[in-house]
């Protein structure tokens, strides 16, 4: 079971309480927890693909971290981004690689 998400409330709770509630309780509470229908790993693949395709790099960072936590390897992420470069755009792939490299380089710095 996925851990309870509180980012919406933490970051937007006072400013946009309904949005924060929908983010934490519906998107991450109900949709992401439907693990019988789709694994967290597969949801991460879909999510990072959609974010990259839309050019949503600010949101890509936490979702690449989540993808890593959900078991996606550096090699798999690199392959996904390479594949998407041809469908979503080369500049978006470059941006995504810069983010992914920072996230996966943390392993070598911690080790």
């Amino acid at each position: 079971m996925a851990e309870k998400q509180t980012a919406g409330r933490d970051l937007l709770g006072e400013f946009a309480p309904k949005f924060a509630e929908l983010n934490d309780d519906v998107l991450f509470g109900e949709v992401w927890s439907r693990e019988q229908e789709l694994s967290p790993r597969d949801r991460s693949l879909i999510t990072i693909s959609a974010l990259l395709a839309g050019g949503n790099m600010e949101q890509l960072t936490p979702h690449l971290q989540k993808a890593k936590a959900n078991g996606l390897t550096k090699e798999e992420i690199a392959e996904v981004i390479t594949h998407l470069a041809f469908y979503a755009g080369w500049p978006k792939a470059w941006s995504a690689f810069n983010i992914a490299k920072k996230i996966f380089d943390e392993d070598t710095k911690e080790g």
Side-chain angles (χ1 to χ4, degrees):
M1 185 72 169
E3 69 180 59
K4 175 100 170 109
Q5 178 64 258
T6 62
R9 286 181 177 85
D10 294 346
L11 299 172
L12 293 174
E14 289 184 31
F15 187 78
K18 187 60 178 180
F19 184 86
E21 174 191 338
L22 292 169
N23 181 80
D24 295 352
D25 299 344
V26 178
L27 175 57
F28 288 99
E30 294 178 27
V31 176
W32 272 86
S33 68
R34 294 170 47 86
E35 294 180 12
Q36 272 194 305
E37 292 77 9
L38 205 57
S39 73
R41 182 184 187 284
D42 289 347
R43 287 186 193 278
S44 284
L45 277 170
I46 294 163
T47 302
I48 61 174
S49 297
L51 292 171
L52 187 153
N56 300 302
M57 298 304 156
E58 184 178 342
Q59 297 300 313
L60 188 60
T61 299
H63 280 284
L64 280 169
Q65 291 166 334
K66 188 173 186 71
K68 181 179 172 183
N70 285 337
L72 285 160
T73 66
K74 176 176 74 170
E75 293 78 16
E76 289 170 322
I77 294 296
E79 187 63 24
V80 167
I81 296 171
T82 300
H83 187 80
L84 288 169
F86 291 92
Y87 292 93
W90 210 257
K92 290 176 185 174
W94 268 104
S95 296
F97 271 124
N98 287 328
I99 295 166
K101 189 173 183 305
K102 288 176 187 169
I103 290 167
F104 283 89
D105 278 352
E106 290 172 1
D107 288 344
T108 56
K109 290 176 186 170
E110 292 172 3

